[in-house]
Amino acid sequence: MARITTLPDAVAELVRDGDVLAMEGFTHLIPFAAAHEVIRQRRHDLTAARMTPDLIYDQLIGAGCVRKLVFSWGGNPGVGSLHRFRDAVENGWPVPLELEEHSHAGMANRYVAGASGVPFAVLRGYSGTSLAGHSPGVATVTCPFTGEQLSAVPALCPDVTVVHAQRADRAGNVQLWGITGVQKEAVLAARRSLVTVEELVDELPPQPGAVVLPTWVVDAVAVVPGGAHPSYTQGFSKRDNGYYQAWDAISRDRAAFARWLDEQVYTGEVRA
Amino acid sequence: MARITTLPDAVAELVRDGDVLAMEGFTHLIPFAAAHEVIRQRRHDLTAARMTPDLIYDQLIGAGCVRKLVFSWGGNPGVGSLHRFRDAVENGWPVPLELEEHSHAGMANRYVAGASGVPFAVLRGYSGTSLAGHSPGVATVTCPFTGEQLSAVPALCPDVTVVHAQRADRAGNVQLWGITGVQKEAVLAARRSLVTVEELVDELPPQPGAVVLPTWVVDAVAVVPGGAHPSYTQGFSKRDNGYYQAWDAISRDRAAFARWLDEQVYTGEVRA
Amino acid sequence: MSEVSWTTDEMMTVVAARALPDRALCFVGIGLPSTAANLAKATHAPDLVLVYESGTLGAKPPHLPLSIGDGILAETADTVVSVPEVFNYWLQPGRIDVGFLGAAQIDRFGNINTTVIGDYREPKVRLPGAGGAPEIAASCREVVVVVRQSTRTLVPEVDFVTSVGFGRGAGDRERLGLTGAGPRRVITDLGVLEPDPADCELTLTRLHPGVSVEQARDATGWPLRVAADVGVAEPPTAAELGVLRRLEATVGGRGGPRA
Amino acid sequence: MSEVSWTTDEMMTVVAARALPDRALCFVGIGLPSTAANLAKATHAPDLVLVYESGTLGAKPPHLPLSIGDGILAETADTVVSVPEVFNYWLQPGRIDVGFLGAAQIDRFGNINTTVIGDYREPKVRLPGAGGAPEIAASCREVVVVVRQSTRTLVPEVDFVTSVGFGRGAGDRERLGLTGAGPRRVITDLGVLEPDPADCELTLTRLHPGVSVEQARDATGWPLRVAADVGVAEPPTAAELGVLRRLEATVGGRGGPRA
């Protein structure tokens, strides 16, 4: 049963130093506000898993929270590079960053295996690529019926998964819709989970395309309107494309990034 | 792209003697009218796959269309046995019936593997049961990461899958909702597919909980109002519980069943 | 509380309902399990979460459904998921607290047969088969079996292991990789059997009111062990019976009795 | 038709759009592929089906999306599925006709690098990585690669094989179990390269208007083969350019140019 709580309390309780942390949301519903709270609480040595690290993990990485990144595509969508990510990989700043790299299909299936309670998933993929050689998390399995060789990836079971959703009811049942990405699987695969929501409602009216996470698979719900900014929440807010573009200059420069951290995160004054 | 056609034409084209045929629908949306058309067109030597054979396959089996049954639970829900199924298994009447038997989880995962284009699926199941020994379609795989042993089942790829749905648009996109069972997977796993629908509409309004099968994975759509009778179509009809109860007496007796076939199916006068 | 009369089926259902703690997640099959779960929800366990294998999670039917796929389950569920999903994401990882199973045969180690009586290839009676039972038996944190007790149903060894209880005894579940605790309770029309803590053999631990140990022994296909402290279950209360009968009268939403 | 001037990016986009037959299913990445697919849909291929890896099947955006997860894609899609589902049920089984890929490096056998320039552990440039590309390259019936041609991008051998083209030549795709036909077309700012039917080496088959074979050779990191019958592509028509520019002006739905 999910408890309804505040974001600082939820992060304090559920996100721990050294955790495997997954913050998911595929372009849509990215839990930025929760990430900023993780930075504010100075979490460190995190293994941060996410299909598309995006600005949210560029910020966590630049702030020194992350020891290892598990991912499949690390760019600023439509803009260019993630400069804090590149600085960590290319120069070890502010701390060296270990990489565990997959394809989208591999990452998605790793969450599926985790959500399903099995230790691995099977897919067509990786065959002939250099990814297999550089990731300990890719193996080959043989079909016991046809003899065909396929790829296997290990289940990804985060210690804690954080997602953002449109709404929850007072019992802690969560409802999200629009592009729902891999959030259901990431929550079900995790040992602990935290959901930030735009609003708390008495009832969850049925909604086309909605995914419901029953309260009994969620640990905490925190009401954080705009908690996905600068990404968007379908039905509540638009994507702040200007923020993504402005991030390019901020993140290129360590000093500018440090200023951003001070002014926008550590003060708690972040717009999100 | 799906063609909009009639049920007799669709069955004539898409369901062939000797096919692996799947007619799915989990209590809800069972494509009875299409099954009766298969009987009327005297299809034979079918390998009939379905999680819950139910009355629909009791009728196909009794009519002599089926050589082999692939299934996981063969009863008359809430009533008792499937007597035509039992007569075929216990006495070889009207033709001997080969069985390939799974659990629900095994059957569901077989369709998932088929829909996913991989030759097998992995699950926790079968371990310690007699099912493994009696089904050639259960094997063991070892997790390449943990060494744990799990069960594997082969992909189930029907030659043709038939389902019933609430509606389709004129382009052949299909929409179904309520309990949607394993229909999406059964259609995606199949080489050919036929959908009977309650109605054809200009647009498919978004509907909570709806599954959409895009026209490009469907071969034919036939408008058959009440095509799921005596099962039900959420939003259109109620389950005819009396029919399920009456079936017990009809199906217990070969002569009564033959009369039912003559009067209700071969005449084309069946209510559905 | 006044004396009321009740049938053995009602007694079984009431005892099964009492086995369900509030807020538990219960994987519900049709028939007596569904009746028991809905009785529990209408009495001591209002926040019991009902999961049906049709993919309806958190169903709150106002009347007893006639099948596991009744529309009322979808209409009242917290969410409806596909059948592959209910097995892979919700049952398999061990999220469900209690699974209910019936049995045509159950043996002294709680293994269950719902497939065939006699030889598989030359069956005496062909039964419906596995359905969701093998994975319910494997993955629910705990399993409750409900079965009418006779020497035909409680047999030394089942003809076919559809669903594993304790295999051939202690340690077998772990060896087979089954994550749940197995059949912790077998509720019959005569009493309750539980696995012996040492070797997992089903042992009579409780009798229904008015039933003797000898009756239970006579209705068991192996020499039945009886717990030292075998107790007697509380008879159904008037409240339990009232709710139960009201539920049963509304099965399928029709106001009539079930076939 | 009047003479109009156009940029090399516009030429690439128009040639890419023309590669898409009507009614085809196209797996669309953001940037030029999305522009090309939407251009095709707005011109000769109104029934092109756009599939984005965000799970939006059959999206019909009235303006160019800025990301593969823009809300307009979900709002106009035939259906929105989860990310695991789009890869497992829709891409992996080979349902998609054409997949678009970009490249930081592509080699003579069409293998693509979007991961790293230099050594993986000591990178000169760390690129975004794989995303959906490896499986698009593996499973789409056919792949179209769009890349600006230079000796830095068209290299004899990629530093890292993110996505497989033809491996080390003919027969490798089959050996690796890759079901699609691979990169049948590489569209650059200079022309079009196609795999040699015999050994799969990328070969210049078409030039954009005003480009010479020497220019193409000079911009290629290996001795570029040229087809005997190398042709010249039709320049963009005024109609194509009109639609393209209108689309680009509405990217993200804001009426402004893309960053």
Side-chain angles (χ1 to χ4, degrees):
Chain A
M1 296 289 291
R3 284 171 310 98
I4 313 294
T5 181
T6 67
L7 180 56
D9 284 355
V11 167
E13 183 200 334
L14 296 172
V15 183
R16 302 171 194 168
D17 293 339
D19 267 359
V20 176
L21 163 70
M23 307 187 100
E24 284 292 351
F26 204 82
T27 307
H28 180 216
L29 293 174
I30 303 178
F32 273 94
H36 296 164
E37 186 59 32
V38 169
I39 294 174
R40 266 193 295 278
Q41 296 197 15
R42 316 260 174 181
R43 286 291 170 284
H44 52 82
D45 284 323
L46 298 171
T47 293
R50 183 171 153 78
M51 292 182 65
T52 55
D54 204 281
L55 272 55
I56 185 175
Y57 276 17
D58 212 37
Q59 296 171 352
L60 280 173
I61 289 166
C65 304
V66 183
R67 186 186 70 71
K68 180 177 175 181
L69 182 67
V70 180
F71 76 113
S72 41
W73 193 83
N76 181 342
V79 178
S81 287
L82 293 178
H83 298 291
R84 295 297 90 229
F85 158 69
R86 284 185 58 181
D87 202 11
V89 175
E90 296 171 8
N91 309 305
W93 192 93
V95 288
L97 185 66
E98 192 184 334
L99 298 184
E100 184 178 319
E101 195 158 357
H102 280 269
S103 67
H104 276 354
M107 279 293 281
N109 277 292
R110 294 189 63 191
Y111 283 123
V112 168
S116 303
V118 290
F120 71 107
V122 172
L123 72 158
R124 294 185 185 282
Y126 297 102
S127 178
T129 72
S130 308
L131 282 164
H134 286 88
S135 176
V138 181
T140 298
V141 288
T142 303
C143 173
F145 306 105
T146 65
E148 199 180 345
Q149 296 232 313
L150 291 106
S151 290
V153 288
L156 178 51
C157 298
D159 292 307
V160 55
T161 289
V162 181
V163 301
H164 186 73
Q166 277 93 345
R167 59 195 179 198
D169 66 18
R170 291 174 208 287
N173 297 293
V174 170
Q175 192 187 42
L176 56 152
W177 64 88
I179 289 167
T180 54
V182 76
Q183 283 100 302
K184 181 191 271 190
E185 288 77 11
V187 166
L188 294 183
R191 289 174 187 86
R192 308 185 289 274
S193 64
L194 159 61
V195 184
T196 56
V197 296
E198 294 290 326
E199 61 178 13
L200 213 59
V201 294
D202 290 330
E203 296 236 335
L204 296 174
Q207 170 76 21
V211 164
V212 172
L213 299 169
T215 181
W216 39 278
V217 293
V218 176
D219 289 297
V221 169
V223 181
V224 186
H229 177 269
S231 81
Y232 72 105
T233 299
Q234 187 131 355
F236 287 81
S237 63
K238 297 272 179 215
R239 191 168 185 267
D240 184 352
N241 292 323
Y243 185 114
Y244 281 81
Q245 287 157 5
W247 185 252
D248 194 67
I250 295 167
S251 63
R252 269 180 199 277
D253 181 71
R254 292 180 187 172
F257 172 73
R259 264 196 313 281
W260 174 85
L261 263 187
D262 277 343
E263 289 167 12
Q264 300 292 317
V265 180
Y266 289 133
T267 62
E269 296 288 78
V270 71
R271 251 198 69 191
Chain B
M1 296 287 293
R3 285 170 309 98
I4 313 294
T5 181
T6 66
L7 181 57
D9 284 356
V11 167
E13 184 202 333
L14 296 171
V15 183
R16 302 170 194 169
D17 293 339
D19 268 358
V20 177
L21 162 70
M23 307 187 101
E24 283 292 350
F26 204 82
T27 307
H28 179 216
L29 294 173
I30 303 177
F32 273 94
H36 296 164
E37 186 59 32
V38 169
I39 294 173
R40 267 192 295 278
Q41 296 196 15
R42 315 259 174 184
R43 287 290 170 284
H44 52 82
D45 284 323
L46 297 172
T47 292
R50 185 172 151 77
M51 291 182 65
T52 54
D54 204 282
L55 272 56
I56 185 175
Y57 276 18
D58 211 37
Q59 295 171 352
L60 279 172
I61 290 166
C65 304
V66 182
R67 185 188 71 72
K68 180 177 175 181
L69 181 69
V70 180
F71 76 112
S72 41
W73 193 84
N76 182 343
V79 178
S81 289
L82 293 178
H83 298 290
R84 295 296 91 229
F85 157 70
R86 285 185 56 181
D87 202 11
V89 174
E90 295 170 10
N91 309 305
W93 193 94
V95 289
L97 185 66
E98 192 184 332
L99 298 184
E100 183 178 319
E101 194 157 356
H102 280 270
S103 67
H104 275 354
M107 280 292 282
N109 276 292
R110 295 189 63 190
Y111 283 123
V112 168
S116 303
V118 289
F120 70 107
V122 172
L123 72 158
R124 295 185 184 282
Y126 295 104
S127 178
T129 72
S130 308
L131 282 164
H134 286 87
S135 175
V138 182
T140 297
V141 288
T142 303
C143 173
F145 306 105
T146 65
E148 199 180 345
Q149 296 232 315
L150 291 106
S151 289
V153 289
L156 177 52
C157 298
D159 292 307
V160 56
T161 289
V162 181
V163 300
H164 186 73
Q166 276 93 345
R167 58 195 179 197
D169 66 19
R170 290 174 209 286
N173 297 294
V174 170
Q175 193 186 41
L176 57 151
W177 65 87
I179 290 167
T180 55
V182 75
Q183 283 100 304
K184 179 190 272 191
E185 288 77 12
V187 167
L188 293 183
R191 288 174 189 85
R192 306 185 290 274
S193 63
L194 160 61
V195 184
T196 57
V197 296
E198 293 291 326
E199 61 178 11
L200 214 57
V201 294
D202 290 329
E203 296 237 336
L204 296 174
Q207 170 76 23
V211 164
V212 171
L213 299 169
T215 179
W216 39 278
V217 293
V218 176
D219 289 297
V221 169
V223 180
V224 186
H229 177 267
S231 83
Y232 73 105
T233 300
Q234 187 130 355
F236 288 80
S237 63
K238 297 271 180 216
R239 191 167 186 268
D240 184 352
N241 292 323
Y243 185 114
Y244 281 80
Q245 286 157 6
W247 184 252
D248 194 67
I250 295 166
S251 63
R252 269 179 198 277
D253 180 71
R254 292 178 187 173
F257 172 73
R259 263 196 313 281
W260 175 85
L261 263 187
D262 277 342
E263 290 168 12
Q264 300 293 318
V265 180
Y266 290 132
T267 62
E269 296 289 77
V270 70
R271 252 197 68 191
Chain C
M1 203 174 301
S2 65
E3 275 291 311
V4 282
S5 70
W6 34 267
T7 68
T8 52
D9 270 16
E10 286 173 335
M11 183 71 205
M12 286 171 83
T13 305
V14 165
V15 172
R18 290 174 187 161
L20 296 170
D22 198 12
R23 297 179 182 279
L25 276 73
C26 182
F27 205 92
V28 187
I30 213 60
L32 195 147
S34 176
T35 308
N38 281 284
L39 173 58
K41 201 166 167 60
T43 53
H44 68 279
D47 290 325
L48 190 71
V49 179
L50 308 186
V51 176
Y52 288 81
E53 69 190 9
S54 55
T56 48
L57 308 184
K60 291 164 278 293
H63 59 256
L64 281 187
L66 191 71
S67 80
I68 50 145
D70 275 21
I72 195 68
L73 299 176
E75 285 161 22
T76 61
D78 291 328
T79 184
V80 182
V81 300
S82 74
V83 165
E85 185 180 322
V86 78
F87 284 102
N88 288 349
Y89 285 6
W90 302 92
L91 177 62
Q92 181 168 263
R95 297 183 209 283
I96 309 294
D97 296 305
V98 184
F100 267 116
L101 293 176
Q105 293 182 327
I106 181 167
D107 69 21
R108 63 202 296 166
F109 291 110
N111 303 299
I112 289 173
N113 176 13
T114 56
T115 302
V116 69
I117 305 293
D119 180 68
Y120 184 78
R121 301 282 159 206
E122 299 282 341
K124 274 189 224 138
V125 183
R126 174 63 224 199
L127 302 164
E135 286 76 23
I136 293 171
S139 296
C140 286
R141 292 200 180 123
E142 172 179 335
V143 170
V144 174
V145 183
V146 183
V147 61
R148 289 193 192 86
Q149 194 163 348
S150 80
T151 52
R152 286 186 311 129
T153 55
L154 274 70
V155 297
E157 196 164 343
V158 290
D159 293 353
F160 189 100
V161 181
T162 311
S163 306
V164 179
F166 300 103
R168 304 267 42 92
D172 258 20
R173 286 190 69 85
E174 294 73 15
R175 198 154 38 248
L176 292 166
L178 308 176
T179 53
R184 306 306 310 174
R185 249 177 282 221
V186 178
I187 298 169
T188 80
D189 49 342
L190 302 180
V192 178
L193 289 72
E194 295 177 63
D196 183 280
D199 67 4
C200 295
E201 181 173 311
L202 292 179
T203 303
L204 184 70
T205 57
R206 212 140 31 105
L207 289 165
H208 294 335
V211 178
S212 70
V213 167
E214 279 57 47
Q215 277 178 282
R217 282 209 167 108
D218 288 349
T220 305
W222 68 84
L224 179 65
R225 286 191 209 162
V226 180
D229 55 345
V230 67
V232 176
E234 282 297 311
T237 66
E240 285 168 332
L241 282 175
V243 174
L244 172 57
R245 287 168 186 175
R246 199 162 62 245
L247 275 173
E248 298 230 303
T250 64
V251 66
R254 297 176 315 141
R258 190 162 85 246
Chain D
M1 203 174 299
S2 65
E3 274 291 310
V4 283
S5 71
W6 34 268
T7 68
T8 50
D9 270 17
E10 285 173 337
M11 184 71 206
M12 287 171 82
T13 305
V14 165
V15 172
R18 290 175 187 161
L20 297 170
D22 198 13
R23 297 180 183 280
L25 276 73
C26 183
F27 204 92
V28 187
I30 212 61
L32 196 147
S34 174
T35 308
N38 281 284
L39 173 58
K41 200 166 167 63
T43 53
H44 68 281
D47 290 326
L48 190 71
V49 179
L50 308 187
V51 176
Y52 288 80
E53 68 190 11
S54 54
T56 49
L57 308 184
K60 291 164 279 292
H63 57 257
L64 281 187
L66 191 73
S67 81
I68 50 146
D70 275 21
I72 195 69
L73 299 175
E75 286 162 20
T76 61
D78 291 329
T79 183
V80 181
V81 301
S82 74
V83 165
E85 185 179 323
V86 77
F87 283 102
N88 289 349
Y89 285 6
W90 302 92
L91 177 60
Q92 181 168 264
R95 297 182 208 282
I96 309 293
D97 296 305
V98 184
F100 267 117
L101 292 177
Q105 293 182 327
I106 181 168
D107 69 21
R108 63 204 295 166
F109 290 111
N111 303 299
I112 288 173
N113 176 14
T114 55
T115 300
V116 69
I117 305 295
D119 180 68
Y120 184 79
R121 301 282 160 206
E122 299 283 339
K124 274 190 224 135
V125 182
R126 175 62 224 199
L127 302 163
E135 286 76 22
I136 292 171
S139 297
C140 286
R141 291 199 180 124
E142 174 181 332
V143 170
V144 174
V145 182
V146 183
V147 62
R148 289 193 191 86
Q149 196 164 346
S150 81
T151 53
R152 288 186 309 131
T153 54
L154 273 71
V155 295
E157 195 165 340
V158 291
D159 293 352
F160 189 101
V161 181
T162 311
S163 305
V164 179
F166 300 103
R168 305 267 40 95
D172 258 20
R173 286 190 68 85
E174 295 72 13
R175 198 155 37 248
L176 292 166
L178 308 175
T179 52
R184 306 307 308 174
R185 246 177 285 220
V186 178
I187 299 170
T188 80
D189 48 343
L190 302 180
V192 178
L193 289 73
E194 295 178 61
D196 183 280
D199 66 4
C200 294
E201 181 173 310
L202 292 180
T203 302
L204 184 70
T205 56
R206 211 141 29 107
L207 289 165
H208 295 335
V211 178
S212 71
V213 166
E214 279 57 49
Q215 275 177 282
R217 282 208 167 110
D218 288 349
T220 306
W222 69 84
L224 179 64
R225 284 191 210 163
V226 179
D229 56 346
V230 65
V232 175
E234 283 295 312
T237 66
E240 285 168 332
L241 283 174
V243 173
L244 173 56
R245 288 168 186 175
R246 200 164 59 247
L247 275 173
E248 296 232 304
T250 63
V251 65
R254 297 176 314 142
R258 191 161 83 245

